[in-house]
Amino acid sequence: TTRVPGSNAKFKIGMCQTHVSHDKKVSLANVKSAIEEAVKKGAELVVLGEMFSCPYATKYFFEYGERLPLPGQLASDASPSVKLLCELAREHKVWIVGGSLPELEGDRVYNTCLVMNPEGGIVAKHRKVHLFDIDVAATATRPAMKFKESDVLTAGETMTLVDLPWCRMGVGICYDSRFPELALAMRAEGAKVLVYPGAFNMTTGPAHYQLLARGRAVDTQSYVVFTSPARSEDKNDYQAWGHSQLISPWAEVLVEAEHQAGVFVVEVDPSEADRIREQVPTSYQKRGDLYAPYAQLEDATAKRRRSENESSL
């Protein structure tokens, strides 16, 4: 494992499961209140949910999107979500993983998670690298679910790692959590905490949300943080599963929310990841001679399928 900076000391993570309104000012007021509550409970790293200030539907991403400040510039009132997070990080001297928001750049929109340091600076930007394009048929036990982020969004191109004072953190967004390759790549670069803001729905959430969180914890022997928005009371809105949760490197569920708004603070110990990795040393036991190239093989298959689909249009 790559040696990385960080004290390895215990620290507290706060998950803020907030309501998202069609009025961005209301959503941001909910975020401000939740972050302040998390800080009062001792949180040193605060995590928000995916699309915390934008209703989760492709038709809203342009309307609610924000342009990021250029390096060295402060966020303006034209980017109220970004401005608020920078101000709260600086005021409370905490790290903030800003869930995600629609980031506008040129004529493109990205699903972007910003990480702020206690000085209020933007130190990392993760653009969702796997876009949520699914078409799940209804069954007797679950509703249908069809969503295509790629109608509006552009995928990111980079893996995101952040050096916290305590350890290295990897960041993904929602659908990124379905890809163990990304989690394992971040773990190989020394991450001991993986954070995934995510708005799973009422079809995939009950089936896979905790399974994926615990699965990534087992794969990487890391703490895994899944933070969701609260479920809307308006049935016409996208119905988030909620159930924000924090998983230990042994894949224990340390805390799990319900679907309502709430703030949950948990102490984590990065040295626990070291202990689990020594006791079950899977990172030293991999068989690169058998399966290391499989991601490249799958990528070639995916490219062929995309080409076939495009030629049939």
Side-chain angles (χ1 to χ4, degrees):
T1 302
T2 306
R3 289 193 63 82
V4 295
S7 67
N8 236 20
K10 296 177 182 180
F11 67 104
K12 291 184 177 180
I13 298 175
M15 299 183 297
C16 296
Q17 183 167 291
T18 62
H19 276 297
V20 179
S21 169
H22 287 260
D23 183 339
K24 186 185 283 190
K25 290 181 180 178
V26 173
S27 298
L28 294 181
N30 294 339
V31 165
K32 183 175 186 293
S33 174
I35 290 177
E36 289 171 348
E37 181 180 341
V39 170
K40 286 180 181 176
K41 292 180 175 179
E44 297 159 280
L45 171 73
V46 180
V47 184
L48 302 176
E50 184 180 23
M51 293 293 171
F52 64 87
S53 62
C54 172
Y56 192 69
T58 55
K59 65 182 180 181
Y60 294 122
F61 291 163
F62 272 105
E63 178 186 350
Y64 287 77
E66 300 185 15
R67 298 190 184 276
L68 302 187
L70 296 172
Q73 293 185 350
L74 296 175
S76 70
D77 291 335
S79 304
S81 304
V82 182
K83 183 179 181 183
L84 177 68
L85 296 188
C86 291
E87 289 175 348
L88 290 172
R90 185 167 58 249
E91 178 185 351
H92 298 291
K93 295 182 172 52
V94 292
W95 290 82
I96 295 178
V97 178
S100 81
L101 52 79
E103 176 204 352
L104 306 178
E105 184 180 76
D107 60 354
R108 293 184 171 186
V109 187
Y110 298 91
N111 188 342
T112 298
C113 175
L114 302 175
V115 180
M116 283 75 172
N117 66 15
E119 288 74 50
I122 300 172
V123 296
K125 174 177 72 175
H126 178 72
R127 291 171 167 171
K128 191 175 191 176
V129 294
H130 303 95
L131 297 183
F132 181 50
D133 289 0
I134 70 166
D135 188 358
V136 179
T139 70
T141 57
R142 67 170 186 254
M145 182 63 201
K146 185 174 183 178
F147 204 98
K148 195 173 182 184
E149 281 189 325
S150 64
D151 282 344
V152 174
L153 297 178
T154 299
E157 298 293 338
T158 57
M159 187 168 70
T160 304
L161 296 158
V162 182
D163 285 337
L164 302 171
W166 314 280
C167 63
R168 180 164 285 177
M169 171 180 71
V171 180
I173 298 174
C174 199
Y175 202 59
D176 287 339
S177 69
R178 288 188 178 271
F179 298 85
E181 299 88 348
L182 176 63
L184 288 165
M186 293 190 289
R187 183 255 194 269
E189 292 296 325
K192 296 181 185 178
V193 175
L194 304 180
V195 177
Y196 296 93
F200 274 55
N201 54 71
M202 298 299 292
T203 300
T204 60
H208 299 151
Y209 197 64
Q210 187 169 102
L211 176 67
L212 287 166
R214 296 185 70 197
R216 297 299 78 83
V218 169
D219 292 339
T220 65
Q221 299 167 312
S222 305
Y223 287 98
V224 174
V225 184
F226 273 26
T227 307
S228 171
R231 193 177 306 163
S232 174
E233 296 174 359
D234 183 346
K235 296 303 180 184
N236 294 317
D237 288 340
Y238 178 92
Q239 295 293 295
W241 173 236
H243 290 263
S244 298
Q245 51 200 270
L246 199 155
I247 313 298
S248 80
W250 190 247
E252 299 163 300
V253 181
L254 300 181
V255 67
E256 179 183 1
E258 294 292 332
H259 65 270
Q260 306 93 340
V263 174
F264 309 87
V265 177
V266 180
E267 184 175 75
V268 300
D269 181 0
S271 67
E272 179 66 9
D274 299 328
R275 285 190 287 273
I276 298 303
R277 293 171 183 185
E278 287 299 321
Q279 293 169 19
V280 186
T282 53
S283 62
Y284 309 122
Q285 297 167 327
K286 296 187 185 300
R287 289 291 303 273
D289 57 319
L290 296 180
Y291 46 74
Y294 89 94
Q296 286 84 355
L297 293 172
E298 287 200 344
D299 188 48
T301 302
K303 287 178 180 176
R304 186 171 66 251
R305 284 183 60 187
R306 282 197 294 272
S307 177
E308 290 170 353
N309 289 340
E310 289 168 1
S311 64
S312 67
L313 294 177

